[in-house]
Amino acid sequence: MPQVPQTLDALAVRAWCGLALEALGRAREEIDAINVYPVADGDTGTNLYLTVESAAGAVEAVFAAHDAVAGGASDASAFSGASGASGEGAAGAAERPTLADAVRAMAHGALIGARGNSGTILAQLLRGMAEVLAADDETARTDDGQGLRLALRQAADSARQAVAHPVEGTVLTVASAAADAASGAEGDCGTVARAAYEGARAALAATPGQLAALKRAGVVDAGGRGLVAVLAALVETFTGEAPGAAAAVPVLMGHARVEAAAVEPLGDVGECADPAPAPEEGGPAFEVIYLLEAEGAAVDRLRERLDQLGDSLVVVGGDGLWNVHVHVDDAGAAVEAGVEAGRPYRIRITHFGAGDAHMAGAAGRPVRERVQRAVVAVVPGEGLAGLYTEAGATTVLARPEEPPASGELVEAIRRAHAREVVLLPNDADLRHTAAAAAEQVRADGVRVALIPTRSAVQGIAALAVHEPERRFDEDVVSMTSAAGATRYAELAVAERESWTMAGICQAGDILGLIEGDVAVIGSDITATAETVLDRMLSAGGEMVTLVLGDEAPGTIAAHLEARVRESYLAVDTVVYRGGRQGALLLIGVE
């Protein structure tokens, strides 16, 4: 059995994230089912799970980075002749992440991965905790519960401040109750966590009496259920015991009282809007979410503008990076407001479909039928996302250094709403993540085939031969064959001095990677690209695909096209704009 942390340190944060993710995974469908406020779009549990998955992944990345440093220190000590008696104590402990490292990673991961109303607010709750726990403040002690008390108070207050029009009976109410209960608890972190959990649990039971939409539906607030689940995981982190069935959380389903294990709840009930209109009154048609790089003053103006455009407005974050969530009728205007404030990216626009509480007259519309087959693809830039979408694929945008988690792929597969799905990860490092997502969706009865594409250009080749009318197995074989017959390469800029298969590179060098390995090191982008292309075409080929990143020179495409035309007869070239895709240039030869 894992050792129970005695203090609030990096290991405790890691354990908490893992336990919270497990709890939300178990409760996801239940929470989706009670999601009624402000929009009954049935994805609260999913959104919360994805938010915590991103937070947990960021924490794991911090530990992995420190493990790598510790491993290097161990190797160095071996060469210096140090005895092993004190190796773990000196190197391992020295390289273990600090509490500040872990909580900052948790908050950042939640911020960039936040989904929906509830996920956005949960991200701000975690950020509020991090502001206290990462501070160099002797009053924020983490061994006697004082730091945790202060962190829970800051979490509740900062989340409420992030919401344009706070409403009682939502996760904000539950968070405040948890902080109030924790403030009166004396003792260690386990004692404080249990007090916060009990306070949140009592507040959750009272939410139907505070919000008419919940009372009409006969449910508690879904977002509040999620927070109770996360706090139950916090109790388990410090005590080794999860609040059990004896401490069950009331869940009103229909109008009959049902008891559910408190360790499993979570949700996304529009914790941040004015009281929801009745379904017949209608409401905004779109949910708009994006990350935004902007200064604080510009974000203040953005809040005012978005508050005029719609409702359910939540803006969380800080230090130049923000997560923006709003419900509007004019999605374009909401995005344009972000452009005026700074640089929006990871833009997600969701149309509230038939049956959603915001859509007037939706009750009489038929439920959208599943299509027979769909393609879901991970793409590295907005330009390729547009190309794949035009070809009929459902896309998941992967930012440099921000690969999608399995939950995000699961959500995309479900969004495709098909009986059969072909999944293109387009990255060798995503194969296991994609396999986990495929396995999870198969449990829902969806037939999923994973084609192990290692580059977006292989995905383009696979998509080009996709024929939905064919038998599923035949289509998958054809797409797999096309992807496998496509050799791939990319150009990138070296970030630091490193050993490579082509020699030693310096920071700023242009690297030409063929099939994932550095094959060429150069100083000029165009010349390096030409060398890489010549090496690839030396083995033959009929088609060259070039995908240009935003940082690639404007003349490189014409130069490479001319090179192919003059030196390789009967080889065609096609050029696409990839946008902010990370790599300067992607090359495919088939």
Side-chain angles (χ1 to χ4, degrees):
M1 178 177 176
Q3 183 177 358
V4 176
Q6 299 301 310
T7 62
L8 181 47
D9 58 9
L11 290 174
V13 173
R14 185 188 203 183
W16 181 32
C17 287
L19 290 169
L21 186 62
E22 291 175 8
L24 296 182
R26 292 190 298 267
R28 180 186 59 79
E29 292 183 0
E30 172 200 324
I31 293 167
D32 284 347
I34 66 169
N35 170 202
V36 299
Y37 177 81
V39 182
D41 47 1
D43 62 359
T44 290
T46 299
N47 286 338
L48 286 164
Y49 178 88
L50 292 172
T51 302
V52 174
E53 184 180 47
S54 183
V59 174
E60 289 300 322
V62 167
F63 271 86
H66 280 74
D67 286 346
V69 172
S74 178
D75 291 344
S77 67
F79 283 106
S80 64
S83 70
S86 60
E88 203 285 328
E95 299 303 338
R96 180 176 296 168
T98 65
L99 173 62
D101 293 333
V103 295
R104 284 172 181 151
M106 175 184 69
H108 181 73
L111 177 66
I112 65 174
R115 298 301 185 89
N117 237 359
S118 60
T120 307
I121 290 178
L122 179 59
Q124 188 66 7
L125 288 167
L126 297 180
R127 179 180 174 84
M129 294 186 72
E131 288 174 352
V132 171
L133 299 176
D136 184 14
D137 186 348
E138 289 299 323
T139 64
R141 296 184 57 196
T142 57
D143 56 348
D144 61 0
Q146 173 68 0
L148 186 56
R149 285 194 292 271
L150 294 174
L152 290 168
R153 179 80 271 161
Q154 177 64 15
D157 293 346
S158 63
R160 190 170 287 270
Q161 292 166 7
V163 173
H165 302 287
V167 172
E168 298 308 323
T170 66
V171 69
L172 297 177
T173 304
V174 176
S176 294
D180 291 343
S183 66
E186 296 295 333
D188 60 13
C189 289
T191 302
V192 173
R194 189 173 293 278
Y197 163 77
E198 293 294 349
R201 179 174 169 270
L204 174 65
T207 56
Q210 296 173 290
L211 201 52
L214 302 178
K215 186 175 183 179
R216 285 196 302 269
V219 298
V220 295
D221 177 74
R225 287 265 297 150
L227 181 56
V228 170
V230 172
L231 291 173
L234 189 62
V235 174
E236 185 175 2
T237 297
F238 290 113
T239 67
E241 299 178 358
V249 175
V251 182
L252 305 177
M253 302 296 291
H255 288 284
R257 186 182 180 90
V258 179
E259 298 293 334
V263 73
E264 298 185 354
L266 197 283
D268 174 333
V269 248
E271 306 73 342
C272 61
D274 298 318
E280 60 270 15
E281 294 177 7
F286 297 96
E287 177 185 60
V288 179
I289 305 173
Y290 49 80
L291 291 178
L292 178 71
E293 294 178 356
E295 298 298 324
V299 172
D300 291 340
R301 294 190 294 270
L302 175 65
R303 282 193 178 97
E304 295 179 4
R305 174 64 178 142
L306 293 180
D307 196 24
Q308 297 169 356
L309 288 174
D311 62 25
S312 298
L313 173 61
V314 189
V315 181
V316 303
D319 301 322
L321 180 63
W322 311 82
N323 192 305
V324 179
H325 171 282
V326 68
H327 293 173
V328 293
D329 279 322
D330 190 344
V335 175
E336 289 173 5
V339 173
E340 293 175 3
R343 186 178 79 85
Y345 61 100
R346 279 199 175 185
I347 300 167
R348 296 174 53 83
I349 299 174
T350 302
H351 186 273
F352 293 124
D356 289 342
H358 263 4
M359 296 301 293
R365 301 176 187 170
V367 177
R368 180 166 70 98
E369 271 201 46
R370 287 185 179 273
V371 298
Q372 182 60 33
R373 190 174 308 160
V375 176
V376 174
V378 180
V379 292
E382 296 91 340
L384 281 179
L387 172 67
Y388 273 74
T389 301
E390 287 176 9
T394 297
T395 61
V396 178
L397 190 61
R399 287 282 172 187
E401 308 304 324
E402 296 177 11
S406 62
E408 193 168 354
L409 299 185
V410 169
E411 182 193 33
I413 295 172
R414 289 177 174 147
R415 193 169 70 243
H417 207 59
R419 299 181 183 89
E420 302 168 339
V421 173
V422 180
L423 181 57
L424 306 175
N426 291 339
D427 186 335
D429 292 336
L430 284 178
R431 182 169 182 176
H432 295 300
T433 300
E439 191 63 29
Q440 184 174 342
V441 176
R442 288 186 187 112
D444 298 339
V446 179
R447 191 178 184 187
V448 183
L450 170 61
I451 298 179
T453 48
R454 294 169 290 172
S455 170
V457 291
Q458 288 188 321
I460 292 173
L463 200 54
V465 301
H466 169 54
E467 292 185 12
E469 297 77 18
R470 278 192 300 219
R471 289 178 54 246
F472 185 63
D473 292 338
E474 292 178 356
D475 197 30
V476 170
V477 169
S478 178
M479 295 176 72
T480 303
S481 178
T486 302
R487 301 187 300 282
Y488 65 95
E490 69 174 84
L491 262 66
V493 179
E495 296 181 355
R496 62 186 67 86
E497 180 181 348
S498 304
W499 285 90
T500 76
M501 294 184 66
I504 300 176
C505 71
Q506 303 296 326
D509 282 348
I510 307 301
L511 306 180
L513 295 88
I514 299 178
E515 306 282 320
D517 294 322
V518 177
V520 180
I521 301 174
S523 58
D524 179 77
I525 297 175
T526 301
T528 305
E530 184 176 310
T531 302
V532 169
L533 188 55
D534 284 341
R535 291 196 184 186
M536 296 180 73
L537 285 172
S538 66
E542 299 175 353
M543 170 73 75
V544 171
T545 300
L546 304 175
V547 183
L548 307 180
D550 279 350
E551 302 301 318
T555 59
I556 191 171
H559 181 90
L560 295 178
E561 283 183 287
R563 173 68 177 175
V564 171
R565 187 169 54 251
E566 294 168 2
S567 303
Y568 303 95
L569 299 178
V571 177
D572 295 323
T573 305
V574 60
V575 179
Y576 301 111
R577 295 284 174 179
R580 295 187 295 271
Q581 63 184 23
L584 296 168
L585 175 69
L586 300 177
I587 303 174
V589 174
E590 51 186 300

